């Protein structure tokens, strides 16, 4: 299996697609203005205690207050609290972490009123983004994740991933980490650290330790509360940190700055793979070039088609996701209804496993498969679903089919499910149902080109239009494009973009910055 990562950086947003054998399996889209909050650390204030829930609400600067349960304070909360006071007591000289006092663990059966007071300052990390009407979920047990290690201040444990089976290797890693880890810190050794040399692990340990030292330094110097004191790495790098594996063949990026960030990160964790990071400089939009746009439009939405006319209906409610499997207009199997139902259900299991990763669906998922009479067929379907979900990084649990033919799946939910609207609003009528004559569309474009060149003074620019319109503009020996270039200069370029609707258009200057050329009657 070949894996490729495509990163599309635009003026207002960044999108990341993971392709396995050219098939889209993961997709992330985020506005550049939005901060990626999971993993961020804040020095914040307790706003309200909730004794009934044994929890409190904390102001971290979001629209809704964040939720912190007593059990999420972490066993080392007393040590954190004391060290926090020592750091804030002297704004000039930083109290060294190596001298921090280790206090007894927090009682598991204690109450939030005994541990916290309203207005108290706490150092917290976001573990779940705001979803729907809920604010972020917090923890008081800070962790700094790297490629091979996870550093957790306060504590003295070294834990090794249970997926590393070799007893000899587990012992080697434990002994090695004990010799290089900083004082008063716990470390979790991740699965990918298996077989790694001490130099690689020590290098990452120093990076993670530096992040913790930077957090403490910020806490000491800043007086504003709430205040962000650590920001998780950029979205592109954060995704790569968890996803990266040696099977990657290419990572394509269409922005030089993000390309440098990604290249630096890959060079740091896998120097021999640094050359797989490539800067995309093609004229066609990067997602169109790698057939991602088309896959996004066909993979999202309420109805998802898969093989031989069968399809899934995916509905999202406040409490859970509901999936219905339909055989559609496919022809019946020669072996009868039971074989037909099994074939449709196995195909649905393949597509559903992909959809869960692609949409990042979490919480409870209930799947209504086509009824099957044979117990061995139901067991085969269950095993197929379990096998397909092995590639999923999110924690999940799958139950066998119930007597009603329903499969229940729970999947870790860290951020809202990815919802891409694949329906297009008519850009020329804005929903009124009446448009100007489409024959006059190219005349309208020429007027805007004339304004750009002769009135605004922009000589070099790119016009993005729907592929059908681009084909019309480029047709013939003396095409419209050639006429425009002879009239307005050869700085005029036309690009076909699959993400645009039929009579939609976008202008970009030589620096790829969007130029808004819409008139008042087009936006009203």
């Amino acid at each position: 299996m070949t894996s490729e990562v495509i990163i599309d950086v635009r003026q207002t947003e960044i999108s990341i697609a993971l392709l396995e054998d050219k098939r889209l399996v993961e997709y992330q889209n985020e506005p550049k203005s939005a901060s990626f909050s999971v993993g961020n650390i804040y020095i914040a204030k307790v706003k309200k205690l909730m004794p009934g829930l044994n929890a409190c609400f904390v102001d971290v600067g979001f629209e809704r207050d964040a939720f912190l349960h007593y059990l999420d304070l972490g066993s080392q909360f007393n040590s954190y609290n004391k060290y926090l006071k020592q750091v804030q007591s002297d704004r000039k000289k930083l109290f060294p972490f190596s001298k921090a006092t280790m206090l007894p663990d927090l009682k598991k059966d204690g109450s939030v009123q005994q541990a916290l007071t309203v207005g108290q300052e706490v150092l917290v990390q976001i573990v779940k983004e705001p979803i729907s009407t809920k604010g972020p979920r917090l923890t008081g047990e800070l962790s700094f994740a790297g490629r091979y290690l996870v550093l957790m201040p306060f504590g003295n444990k070294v834990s090794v991933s249970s997926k590393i089976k070799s007893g000899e290797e587990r012992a080697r890693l434990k002994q090695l980490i004990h010799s290089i880890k900083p004082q008063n810190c716990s470390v979790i050794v991740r699965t990918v650290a298996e077989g790694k040399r001490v130099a690689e692990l020590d290098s990452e340990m120093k990076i993670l330790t530096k992040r913790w030292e930077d957090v403490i330094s910020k806490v000491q110097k800043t007086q504003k509360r709430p205040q962000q004191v650590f920001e998780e790495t950029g979205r592109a790098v954060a995704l790569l940190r968890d996803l990266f594996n040696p099977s990657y063949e290419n990572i394509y990026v269409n922005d030089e700055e993000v390309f440098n960030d990604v290249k630096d990160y890959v060079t740091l964790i896998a120097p021999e793979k640094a050359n797989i990071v490539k800067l995309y400089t093609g004229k066609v939009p990067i997602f169109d070039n790698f057939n991602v746009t088309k896959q996004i439009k066909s993979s999202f939405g309420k109805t998802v088609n898969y093989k031989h006319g069968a399809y899934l209906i995916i509905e999202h409610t406040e409490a859970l996701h509901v999936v219905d499997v339909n055989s559609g207009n496919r022809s019946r199997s020669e072996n009868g209804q039971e074989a037909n139902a099994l074939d449709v259900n196995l195909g649905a299991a393949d597509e559903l496993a992909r959809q869960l990763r692609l949409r990042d669906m979490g919480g409870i998922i209930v799947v209504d498969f086509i009824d099957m009479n044979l117990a061995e067929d139901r067991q085969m379907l269950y095993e197929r679903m379990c096998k397909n979900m092995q590639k999923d990084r999110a924690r999940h649990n799958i139950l066998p089919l119930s007597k009603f033919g329903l499969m229940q799946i729970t999947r870790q939910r860290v951020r809202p499910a990815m919802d891409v609207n694949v329906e297009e609003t008519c850009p020329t009528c804005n929903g009124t149902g009446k448009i100007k004559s489409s024959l006059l569309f190219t005349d309208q474009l020429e007027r805007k080109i004339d304004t750009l060149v002769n009135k605004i003074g922009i000589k070099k620019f790119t016009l993005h239009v729907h592929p059908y319109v681009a084909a019309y503009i480029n047709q013939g020996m003396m095409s419209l494009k050639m006429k425009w270039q002879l009239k307005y200069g050869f700085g005029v370029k036309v690009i076909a973009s699959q993400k645009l609707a039929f009579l939609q258009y976008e202008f970009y200057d030589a620096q790829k910055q969007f130029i808004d050329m819409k008139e008042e009657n087009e936006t009203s």
Side-chain angles (χ1 to χ4, degrees):
M1 182 181 69
T2 59
S3 298
E4 292 181 312
V5 176
I6 316 297
I7 303 173
D8 181 18
V9 183
R10 287 192 288 258
Q11 194 172 347
T12 56
E13 62 186 12
I14 180 168
S15 301
I16 300 172
L18 172 63
L19 305 181
E20 289 179 357
D21 292 332
K22 305 294 181 185
R23 199 158 174 252
L24 181 66
V25 292
E26 289 200 31
Y27 176 67
Q28 296 285 347
N29 175 274
E30 185 179 272
K32 278 191 175 177
S33 57
S35 62
F36 176 54
S37 58
V38 171
N40 289 357
I41 297 175
Y42 293 81
I43 178 78
K45 282 191 175 184
V46 177
K47 198 166 182 182
K48 188 180 182 182
L49 298 178
M50 303 290 287
L53 298 172
N54 202 19
C56 66
F57 285 105
V58 180
D59 178 16
V60 291
F62 280 72
E63 187 180 342
R64 291 182 179 274
D65 290 332
F67 182 81
L68 176 63
H69 194 274
Y70 174 80
L71 294 175
D72 291 330
L73 285 171
S75 58
Q76 304 296 330
F77 177 72
N78 293 326
S79 305
Y80 267 111
N81 202 28
K82 181 167 184 181
Y83 183 59
L84 195 61
K85 288 175 181 174
Q86 289 171 325
V87 165
Q88 293 178 311
S89 63
D90 190 347
R91 298 284 179 192
K92 292 180 181 176
K93 189 179 179 184
L94 183 65
F95 190 86
F97 178 60
S98 57
K99 293 184 180 179
T101 312
M102 296 291 288
L103 296 177
D105 288 1
L106 198 69
K107 293 179 183 175
K108 288 187 179 179
D109 57 351
S111 66
V112 71
Q113 301 104 297
Q114 295 169 338
L116 298 169
T117 56
V118 174
Q120 181 177 341
E121 292 187 358
V122 285
L123 200 56
V124 288
Q125 187 169 30
I126 293 181
V127 291
K128 187 183 279 190
E129 281 190 15
I131 296 174
S132 186
T133 57
K134 298 171 185 173
R137 179 92 185 235
L138 304 176
T139 181
E141 207 159 15
L142 308 188
S143 62
F144 298 86
R147 173 78 179 137
Y148 307 120
L149 309 170
V150 179
L151 180 74
M152 303 173 75
F154 292 103
N156 202 30
K157 283 185 187 174
V158 173
S159 308
V160 180
S161 167
S162 58
K163 290 181 182 175
I164 298 177
K165 302 297 181 186
S166 166
E168 191 180 326
E169 178 63 6
R170 292 174 69 86
R172 180 189 81 90
L173 287 168
K174 270 194 176 183
Q175 186 180 2
L176 196 155
I177 297 302
H178 269 298
S179 68
I180 63 173
K181 81 175 185 67
Q183 195 177 343
N184 293 340
C185 283
S186 291
V187 176
I188 298 171
V189 182
R190 304 182 76 172
T191 311
V192 287
E194 188 172 6
K196 296 300 175 189
R197 301 190 311 274
V198 62
E200 294 174 270
L201 300 178
D202 186 47
S203 172
E204 184 166 274
M205 184 77 79
K206 285 174 181 170
I207 292 168
L208 299 179
T209 307
K210 177 71 167 60
R211 287 181 189 170
W212 165 236
E213 289 168 353
D214 290 345
V215 166
I216 292 304
S217 179
K218 263 192 176 179
V219 169
Q220 181 206 23
K221 290 172 184 173
T222 58
Q223 296 186 22
K224 183 187 170 188
R225 302 289 184 268
Q227 177 70 41
Q228 186 184 71
V229 289
F230 172 74
E231 186 172 9
E232 183 56 279
T233 48
R235 189 72 197 95
V237 173
L239 185 75
L240 274 178
R241 185 191 64 205
D242 296 331
L243 281 181
F244 188 84
N245 67 59
S247 71
Y248 278 4
E249 291 202 339
N250 297 296
I251 300 172
Y252 292 101
V253 192
N254 66 344
D255 180 87
E256 199 162 348
E257 188 180 334
V258 176
F259 163 77
N260 290 329
D261 289 344
V262 172
K263 180 115 179 173
D264 290 346
Y265 179 72
V266 174
T267 305
L268 180 70
I269 63 167
E272 73 284 359
K273 296 294 255 180
N275 62 338
I276 68 170
V277 186
K278 296 167 184 172
L279 182 64
Y280 176 77
T281 55
K283 293 179 180 178
V284 177
I286 186 169
F287 271 11
D288 291 7
N289 186 67
F290 292 99
N291 198 32
V292 175
T293 307
K294 192 173 181 181
Q295 290 192 64
I296 290 171
K297 293 198 173 188
S298 63
S299 299
F300 286 89
K302 182 178 172 181
T303 304
V304 179
N305 294 297
Y306 61 105
K307 63 177 186 178
H308 307 309
Y311 61 94
L312 304 177
I313 301 287
I314 302 175
E315 294 271 14
H316 172 56
T317 71
E318 183 70 22
L320 45 79
H321 297 273
V322 184
V323 182
D324 185 33
V325 179
N326 292 285
S327 57
N329 58 1
R330 60 177 281 131
S331 58
R332 289 199 170 186
S333 168
E334 296 174 5
N335 300 323
Q337 178 59 31
E338 184 72 16
N340 188 58
L342 177 62
D343 188 39
V344 171
N345 285 340
L346 291 177
D350 296 342
E351 181 60 29
L352 180 60
R354 171 178 171 254
Q355 286 291 328
L356 293 180
R357 289 174 69 189
L358 187 57
R359 300 182 188 222
D360 205 6
M361 290 157 63
I364 301 169
I365 299 112
V366 178
V367 191
D368 180 14
F369 285 103
I370 296 171
D371 291 341
M372 295 183 294
N373 296 321
L374 299 177
E376 56 264 34
D377 287 352
R378 294 196 291 270
Q379 181 62 22
M380 190 190 297
L381 175 61
Y382 171 67
E383 289 172 1
R384 179 76 157 257
M385 195 72 213
C386 291
K387 184 184 176 185
N388 289 338
M389 291 292 284
Q390 284 175 359
K391 298 175 189 172
D392 199 336
R393 292 174 295 115
R395 287 198 304 271
H396 58 269
N397 192 18
I398 306 168
L399 297 182
L401 272 81
S402 70
K403 62 181 179 180
F404 296 128
L406 301 176
M407 181 181 283
Q408 297 166 71
I409 303 170
T410 61
R411 188 175 182 273
Q412 180 187 20
R413 179 159 67 175
V414 175
R415 58 185 67 88
M418 176 63 61
D419 185 23
V420 177
N421 185 12
V422 294
E423 294 179 347
E424 296 174 349
T425 303
C426 176
T428 47
C429 78
N430 291 313
T432 61
K434 294 181 180 179
I435 64 170
K436 294 177 183 176
S437 170
S438 51
L439 278 174
L440 302 177
F441 179 58
T442 51
D443 295 344
Q444 182 188 7
L445 290 178
E446 186 171 351
R447 284 200 306 274
K448 292 180 188 298
I449 292 170
D450 183 57
T451 303
L452 266 177
V453 174
N454 296 323
K455 292 185 180 176
I456 302 175
I458 299 176
K459 305 289 185 185
K460 290 186 177 181
F461 58 86
T462 307
L463 169 61
H464 287 226
V465 289
H466 188 275
Y468 289 176
V469 177
Y472 176 74
I473 291 172
N474 287 313
Q475 73 170 349
M477 286 288 289
M478 197 59 185
S479 63
L480 261 178
K481 176 186 168 185
M482 180 60 72
K483 289 175 183 175
W484 289 346
Q485 287 179 335
L486 291 172
K487 190 173 180 181
Y488 301 106
F490 284 89
V492 180
K493 293 178 181 172
V494 179
I495 297 287
S497 176
Q498 294 176 9
K499 77 183 179 87
L500 297 180
F502 183 47
L503 296 183
Q504 197 174 359
Y505 61 90
E506 288 178 352
F507 284 94
Y508 292 88
D509 63 17
Q511 285 73 45
K512 297 185 179 178
Q513 299 294 308
F514 175 70
I515 310 168
D516 190 354
M517 291 297 292
K518 283 192 167 53
E519 298 162 12
E520 191 177 340
N521 63 346
E522 292 180 68
T523 56
S524 59

